[in-house]
Amino acid sequence: NGEYLLGLINDILDLSKIEAGKFDVENVDCAPADIVADVASLMHVRAKAKTIPLKIEYDGPMPATIKTDPTRLRQILINLVGNAIKCTEVGTVRLVTKLIKPDGMPPHLRFDVIDTGIGMTHEQVERIFQPFSQADTSTSRKFGGSGLGLTISKRLAEKLGGTITVETTPGLGSRFSVTIQTGPLDEIGRAHV
């Protein structure tokens, strides 16, 4: 209970800072493969406890380094992967990373968190990024949580130059896609992962 309350207080403080415009993000060189490895290491424990395979995949070559806030990116991915594991009883959870270069836009990294969990209706999706909201009341009863994680994650992703979108089908699972800007990649060597 103490850990849950501490987590809730931290979430409320993060959200308050973001909404007050007093939430700073770093922009430093970091290795995306290392961040993904950190998230995988933490989340494999939860996945193993539920006997759900957690698969880490890379779609194409990755930049060796990018410029972003590694702490906040890690926070977003831990939240999304944690939610996917929490809401999946059978099947798998996958974290797929891909470098994308939209026409006329700076390069982005996209992280897709794909699960075979409970999925959501269109009406539920419209609520999940609102503070203190979850898909429905049974979600908080069954899976726990404050309903702040996705709100904070979306706003953090926007501060990192991207966003979070979701595609979902009730009973079949969900795909949460987070994008972040990478900074210039012209002089950065590519690392195949």
Side-chain angles (χ1 to χ4, degrees):
N1 285 342
E3 286 179 14
Y4 172 78
L5 285 173
L6 186 59
L8 179 60
I9 290 166
N10 286 334
D11 283 348
I12 292 169
L13 289 173
D14 277 355
L15 186 61
S16 299
K17 286 181 192 171
I18 292 169
E19 291 188 336
K22 296 184 176 178
F23 193 90
D24 296 323
V25 294
E26 287 188 307
N27 193 28
V28 298
D29 288 336
C30 55
D34 289 349
I35 294 169
V36 169
D38 288 348
V39 171
S41 176
L42 285 168
M43 294 293 103
H44 270 303
V45 176
R46 286 195 201 174
K48 190 174 180 184
K50 286 192 72 175
T51 64
I52 300 289
L54 172 59
K55 298 182 177 177
I56 307 300
E57 302 169 23
Y58 292 91
D59 185 354
M62 289 293 107
T65 57
I66 61 172
K67 274 196 178 295
T68 193
D69 187 325
T71 302
R72 297 309 173 188
L73 175 56
R74 198 176 290 111
Q75 182 178 353
I76 294 167
L77 294 178
I78 286 171
N79 183 59
L80 293 179
V81 173
N83 282 351
I85 293 168
K86 194 163 53 173
C87 295
T88 302
E89 298 299 330
V90 294
T92 60
V93 172
R94 296 163 56 213
L95 171 56
V96 183
T97 307
K98 179 179 179 130
L99 178 65
I100 55 173
K101 296 189 201 167
D103 288 341
M105 292 179 65
H108 285 66
L109 273 186
R110 188 178 77 210
F111 303 87
D112 292 320
V113 179
I114 306 158
D115 67 57
T116 55
I118 58 176
M120 291 173 283
T121 64
H122 176 70
E123 292 74 21
Q124 289 171 329
V125 169
E126 288 184 343
R127 290 197 300 269
I128 59 170
F129 292 110
Q130 299 303 314
F132 299 104
S133 294
Q134 294 181 320
D136 58 42
T137 53
S138 66
T139 303
S140 56
R141 272 199 314 274
K142 183 171 182 183
F143 300 111
S146 63
L148 284 172
L150 286 174
T151 305
I152 292 169
S153 294
K154 187 162 199 244
R155 296 187 192 184
L156 287 177
E158 288 165 356
K159 284 194 163 286
L160 299 181
T163 192
I164 296 179
T165 58
V166 59
E167 299 169 25
T168 182
T169 305
L172 295 179
S174 303
R175 174 194 292 258
F176 282 83
S177 299
V178 56
T179 58
I180 60 154
Q181 287 189 15
T182 64
L185 297 178
D186 303 337
E187 299 174 11
I188 296 175
R190 299 290 170 77
H192 283 276
V193 186

